[in-house]
Amino acid sequence: MTPYSTTTTPTDAATARFLLLGDSHAGVIGRAAKAAGIPFSGGPVGAGREFNAEFFDRRGHDVVFRKPETDALYRGFLDELGVDGLDALTVPLVCTFGFSAHFVATTANWDVYRVGGGFVPGFLESRLFDDLVRATVRDALAFYGHARGLGLRVVSAMPPQRVPGMSDPVVFMAAQDVMRRALVELGVEVVDLRARVTDAAGVQRPEFSEATDAIHGSLGFGRLILAELLALGL
Amino acid sequence: MNPYQSLPPRSFWRTAVAEPDPRDITGLWTPKFALGHDDVILTAGSCFARHIGRALLERGMNWRDAEPAPPGLTPAEREARHYGAFSFRTGNIYTAATLRQWLSWAFGESAPPQEVWQDEGRFFDPFRPAVEPEGYASPEDLAGARERTLTAIRGAVADADCLVFTLGLTEAWLDRVDGTVHPVCPGTVRGTFDAERHAFHNFTFAEVHRDLSAAVALARAVNPGLRVLLTVSPVPLTATATGGHALTATTYSKSVLRAVAGQLAQELDHVDYFPSYEIVTGAPFKAGFFEPNLRTVTPEGVDFVMGRFFDALSQAPRPQERRPSADRPTTPTSGEDFWCDDAVLDYYNSH
């Protein structure tokens, strides 16, 4: 029998359900949670390009972000949760590091692999492409691996399916799949809403797209991710 | 020239209903008020209402689950405890009288009775006997859980832009001792039926109108901007206690509910009616949206109803929504990454 204490929603609004750490894509998750009165700590701590490689160091079981502003935000969130390091965390970690697929897919970065303007057949499914993407986001994966190694429950959320002009759509799609695979291998739970938020062409629908730019998801997208987090038992 | 000569095709049965393919029948609802994607929407009511919240989220709308499940419950545990079905953990609210009752308790107009039902050492809430399948350990736990729901109702109603309420039944069981209305007949889900105490009542048009008007007024007293969207569940009665036939009892119940909903929508600018009932049970659909039991609405039926709902909403005048500013192009350009920095900074903007 499930004890009473776990079947009635806690009335203590200060009891955080999760720590949110991420790039700008985490913003709508935090906004949705705030609007819905879901207690949590955290938010975006930098832009996506900052969280692929060389952005943190381990300090004991904790981490230190190399960018002082990011570390200050992180320390503030830990203070809110009453813990002094990642290893002391008692709530799940929700993270979007490494899922800035539009940055990974910057068109110019992949020119060297194009022949006559396109990729050779099979390139995007190749071990080489997989290795290249994993190398690009190596420290994001290391961060997730570290958190999992500490025994934390970690959930990540895939990015909105929006590819800006600077990025190659086919690389975007393939790179996010590599990232997703790598996270699953690490034991990270991945919220994948692609089937629910895209149109027939696989592009994010307007109601799930931020109206003021070409990259981010809307608050409605954040609400759907939040609903999934709660459905996962967070 | 007579008045009918200037009416649109949707006003005539032949062109609106008989001739088109049933799935092409449109224009069934002209929303009285717009609902923006970020407007907070609450749902409550009979079992058909449980489909609406999820459908709203899937369309990017702002359905508010004001009483989310506590962390750690499995999906099966959440479902068994009625989390995520409606905006509050009231369980099904079949009648206007019970909606009024919950709002009256939430806003302090009256207090819930102290009675609890006991079964094999566990305690059950007479006013939502199914939401905690294994019961509570003590009456205090039960009261605490109910107060949590009343708190959720208070906060969410005060904050909401729209309450969607699905009317289900006119038949109910009243408690002669304290005058309360039970959600289901005592002794069916839990509790013990007492013929001296529990009285069957089939609400009339006037009574449903009275209770629904009072419920709307209660909610509007704490939130004068709240709009109410009424629907009538197309799900027939499982059983009738009138002694009559289940089919005629269903027709009475749904007719009264449909009439009251229409009446209130005519009387009040902030109340509208959405025709879920007509869309599922209407003659052109030939019961095709029901399972073989002619009672359960199929997933396709729910999708069809919600599709009509969103199609109509999309054509309603939009509320003032944020527009892209001139200095932030939304068409692809190069160097878009500044948006990410901007978005991070904006997250911490308290204004």
Side-chain angles (χ1 to χ4, degrees):
Chain A
M1 182 175 291
T2 307
Y4 158 78
S5 59
T6 64
T7 61
T8 298
T9 305
T11 53
D12 179 4
T15 307
R17 288 173 180 251
F18 55 85
L19 168 63
L20 175 64
L21 287 180
D23 55 22
S24 56
H25 290 316
V28 291
I29 305 173
R31 285 186 205 281
K34 282 181 189 171
I38 301 297
F40 74 103
S41 187
V45 292
R49 63 179 180 279
E50 301 169 37
F51 300 109
N52 292 326
E54 299 172 353
F55 66 91
F56 79 101
D57 297 297
R58 297 184 188 197
R59 185 175 65 192
H61 289 317
D62 195 11
V63 295
V64 178
F65 289 95
R66 293 184 182 177
K67 190 175 172 183
E69 298 90 328
T70 299
D71 203 60
L73 285 169
Y74 169 63
R75 299 286 152 210
F77 300 149
L78 293 184
D79 284 347
E80 286 177 5
L81 294 170
V83 299
D84 58 6
L86 199 62
D87 54 320
L89 206 60
T90 57
V91 293
L93 170 65
V94 177
C95 188
T96 62
F97 294 161
F99 260 138
S100 54
H102 71 277
F103 179 76
V104 175
T106 302
T107 303
N109 291 352
W110 299 90
D111 279 348
V112 68
Y113 302 101
R114 290 189 182 89
V115 178
F119 297 112
V120 296
F123 172 73
L124 294 171
E125 297 78 36
S126 69
R127 177 66 182 269
L128 172 62
F129 179 77
D130 190 284
D131 287 346
L132 288 167
V133 173
R134 288 182 193 235
T136 305
V137 298
R138 58 189 175 279
D139 279 356
L141 294 176
F143 181 87
Y144 286 103
H146 179 56
R148 289 288 299 138
L150 294 172
L152 297 183
R153 184 178 183 191
V154 185
V155 184
S156 189
M158 294 190 73
Q161 302 301 293
R162 307 187 71 194
V163 187
M166 69 180 197
S167 309
D168 184 330
V170 297
V171 178
F172 177 100
M173 298 298 173
Q176 68 176 351
D177 281 337
V178 172
M179 182 68 186
R180 181 183 192 281
R181 222 166 28 242
L183 289 180
V184 170
E185 288 167 12
L186 290 169
V188 174
E189 297 162 73
V190 179
V191 174
D192 179 358
L193 297 176
R194 286 178 291 182
R196 291 161 62 186
V197 301
T198 57
D199 60 19
V203 175
Q204 190 99 347
R205 302 204 307 265
E207 62 266 37
F208 294 111
S209 301
E210 169 60 51
T212 59
D213 67 39
I215 295 174
H216 296 101
S218 67
L219 195 51
F221 185 55
R223 286 191 288 265
L224 213 49
I225 294 173
L226 178 68
E228 277 303 297
L229 296 177
L230 297 179
L232 288 171
L234 270 63
Chain B
M1 184 83 172
N2 66 59
Y4 289 92
Q5 288 175 293
S6 59
L7 292 177
R10 72 163 184 269
S11 303
F12 297 90
W13 185 266
R14 181 176 59 79
T15 48
V17 179
E19 288 183 347
D21 184 280
R23 304 222 173 217
D24 293 333
I25 293 174
T26 56
L28 285 157
W29 177 47
T30 303
K32 188 186 279 189
F33 42 76
L35 284 174
H37 275 102
D38 293 331
D39 285 349
V40 176
I41 303 172
L42 308 177
T43 56
S46 71
C47 52
F48 188 74
R50 67 176 53 225
H51 302 296
I52 299 174
R54 172 60 67 174
L56 289 168
L57 274 179
E58 297 289 344
R59 294 294 188 120
M61 306 289 284
N62 192 4
W63 177 64
R64 175 67 49 82
D65 181 357
E67 198 177 357
L73 294 189
T74 64
E77 287 172 328
R78 284 197 304 278
E79 185 177 356
R81 285 164 181 77
H82 292 228
Y83 283 110
F86 310 106
S87 288
F88 324 105
R89 197 179 171 224
T90 53
N92 291 353
I93 299 178
Y94 292 110
T95 59
T98 42
L99 175 68
R100 179 184 184 180
Q101 195 164 267
W102 276 108
L103 292 173
S104 174
W105 294 342
F107 295 114
E109 187 189 64
S110 63
Q114 297 298 307
E115 182 190 11
V116 297
W117 288 344
Q118 193 170 359
D119 186 8
E120 296 182 349
R122 302 293 291 182
F123 297 88
F124 295 85
D125 189 336
F127 302 101
R128 45 179 194 169
V131 303
E132 195 64 40
E134 291 156 348
Y136 296 92
S138 69
E140 292 74 27
D141 287 349
L142 184 156
R146 187 196 285 159
E147 184 52 39
R148 177 69 186 84
T149 297
L150 295 176
T151 301
I153 293 174
R154 271 192 294 279
V157 169
D159 192 35
D161 296 289
C162 182
L163 167 66
V164 180
F165 181 64
T166 304
L167 294 145
L169 299 175
T170 54
E171 297 190 19
W173 291 84
L174 310 184
D175 191 315
R176 289 191 175 100
V177 174
D178 54 32
T180 51
V181 185
H182 284 279
V184 292
C185 179
T188 52
V189 179
R190 290 282 174 184
T192 305
F193 181 72
D194 178 351
E196 297 298 311
R197 179 173 180 179
H198 301 127
F200 174 72
H201 187 72
N202 199 5
F203 286 98
T204 64
F205 174 94
E207 289 167 331
V208 177
H209 183 267
R210 173 200 67 199
D211 288 333
L212 198 53
S213 300
V216 171
L218 267 167
R220 291 267 298 180
V222 295
N223 180 355
L226 183 74
R227 291 159 291 174
V228 178
L229 183 56
L230 300 171
T231 66
V232 173
S233 167
V235 178
L237 276 64
T238 309
T240 177
T242 57
H245 195 285
L247 181 59
T248 55
T250 294
T251 303
Y252 170 82
S253 234
K254 301 298 178 181
S255 301
V256 166
L257 299 176
R258 173 63 185 89
V260 171
Q263 179 79 16
L264 245 63
Q266 285 186 40
E267 290 172 355
L268 302 169
D269 288 341
H270 51 270
V271 175
D272 196 4
Y273 170 73
F274 173 71
S276 303
Y277 179 72
E278 286 89 332
I279 293 172
V280 174
T281 67
F285 305 106
K286 300 179 173 63
F289 291 134
F290 285 113
E291 299 281 6
N293 63 9
L294 294 181
R295 185 166 186 278
T296 310
V297 180
T298 62
E300 294 73 24
V302 174
D303 284 348
F304 188 76
V305 170
M306 296 313 299
R308 290 294 174 269
F309 178 80
F310 291 113
D311 287 348
L313 267 190
S314 69
Q315 289 163 28
R318 306 300 298 167
Q320 201 64 34
E321 286 186 343
R322 197 162 34 131
R323 292 277 144 237
S325 61
D327 60 342
R328 301 187 77 196
T330 58
T331 49
T333 62
S334 58
E336 294 88 344
D337 229 29
F338 78 91
W339 279 324
C340 299
D341 302 285
D342 207 24
V344 174
L345 283 175
D346 196 44
Y347 182 82
Y348 297 101
N349 182 351
S350 60
H351 301 289

